[in-house]
């Protein structure tokens, strides 16, 4: 079984995934990092030069490959749930944990970071609220477990370990 961490940008998927991989004997994969390494350019550059659709096709290819593997902790890009194939592949191969945080908490965590093209397009707390609203049904369809991510990394990681009993 794999453990997939999903949720909006800035909810803490990458840091919680690192903490979990330290505590459990699972290999850590970050989908954004994999894509950046494969393409040899940043996420912003991929969006700018090749477009969002191309980026989403790389995500789909990657999730299909990872879902054939075992004992991975996968920190997923926030838009991974925009593909039903990704939702199906993740649910068929592991636990899908939604990290859920309020728009206010997300905003304080992302406001000084300029690396996310979709937040540049949807700026400020209103942009976050709008995207969150659009995505809420997709996140809800995707998760097998949901955790409150308005708390510290350690609390969230401990919560997940408790829920999964691993
Ligand atoms: C995206 C989230 C980003 C990255 C890309 C698109 C999204 O990952 O994959 O900028 O559509 O929500 P993080 O959730 O790790 O910021």
């Amino acid at each position: 079984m794999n453990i997939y961490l999903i949720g909006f940008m800035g909810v803490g998927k990458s840091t919680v995934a690192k903490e979990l991989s330290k505590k459990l004997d699972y290999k850590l994969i970050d989908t954004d990092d994999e894509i950046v390494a494969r393409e040899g350019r940043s996420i912003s550059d991929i969006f700018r030069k090749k477009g969002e659709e191309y980026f989403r096709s790389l995500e789909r290819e990657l999730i299909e490959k990872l879902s054939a593997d075992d004992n991975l902790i996968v920190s997923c890009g926030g838009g991974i749930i925009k593909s039903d194939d990704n939702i199906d592949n993740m649910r068929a191969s592991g636990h899908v944990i939604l990290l859920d945080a309020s728009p206010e908490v997300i905003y304080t965590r992302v406001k000084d970071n300029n690396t996310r093209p979709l937040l540049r397009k949807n700026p400020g707390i209103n942009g976050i609220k709008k995207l969150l609203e659009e995505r809420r049904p997709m996140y809800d369809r995707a998760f097998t477990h949901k955790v409150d991510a308005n708390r510290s990394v350690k609390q969230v990681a401990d919560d997940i370990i408790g829920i999964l009993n691993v």
Side-chain angles (χ1 to χ4, degrees):
M1 293 288 261
N2 292 334
I3 300 174
Y4 298 94
L5 301 188
I6 65 165
F8 201 77
M9 296 170 262
V11 293
K13 290 164 294 189
S14 305
T15 37
V16 170
K18 274 187 203 137
E19 180 80 9
L20 282 176
S21 83
K22 261 192 274 167
K23 294 193 170 183
L24 310 170
D25 193 17
Y26 281 46
K27 185 178 169 197
L28 174 64
I29 303 276
D30 183 301
T31 62
D32 284 348
D33 290 350
E34 294 288 312
I35 289 172
V36 166
R38 178 197 143 141
E39 292 293 291
R41 49 169 66 150
S42 69
I43 301 281
S44 294
D45 264 12
I46 299 171
F47 268 69
R48 195 165 43 234
K49 301 212 170 87
K50 304 259 192 140
E52 180 175 351
E53 259 325 294
Y54 177 75
F55 175 76
R56 298 300 173 203
S57 72
L58 297 178
E59 282 187 325
R60 279 198 302 278
E61 217 176 276
L62 180 60
I63 292 294
E64 192 178 345
K65 189 180 104 196
L66 298 177
S67 65
D69 216 330
D70 202 7
N71 290 355
L72 303 177
I73 293 182
V74 186
S75 172
C76 298
I80 215 90
I81 40 66
K82 290 178 87 176
S83 155
D84 284 340
D85 285 348
N86 288 345
I87 294 179
D88 291 346
N89 280 328
M90 290 190 296
R91 291 183 68 116
S93 59
H95 304 285
V96 185
I97 317 289
L98 175 63
L99 274 60
D100 198 27
S102 71
E104 290 75 17
V105 166
I106 291 171
Y107 180 65
T108 61
R109 290 183 187 162
V110 300
K111 67 179 174 12
D112 296 326
N113 181 312
N114 198 25
T115 61
R116 294 175 170 105
L118 293 181
L119 290 183
R120 284 207 296 269
K121 223 165 90 181
N122 299 277
I125 191 141
N126 286 332
I128 292 171
K129 283 184 179 161
K130 173 175 162 270
L131 277 179
L132 255 179
E133 228 164 85
E134 278 170 27
R135 290 186 176 181
R136 176 67 55 203
M138 305 174 210
Y139 287 124
D140 285 349
R141 204 161 58 238
F143 77 78
T144 59
H145 307 274
K146 176 155 88 169
V147 294
D148 176 2
N150 296 299
R151 300 165 308 151
S152 74
V153 170
K154 190 180 172 307
Q155 283 173 318
V156 177
D158 285 347
D159 222 15
I160 294 172
I161 289 172
I163 288 171
L164 298 181
N165 205 7
V166 279

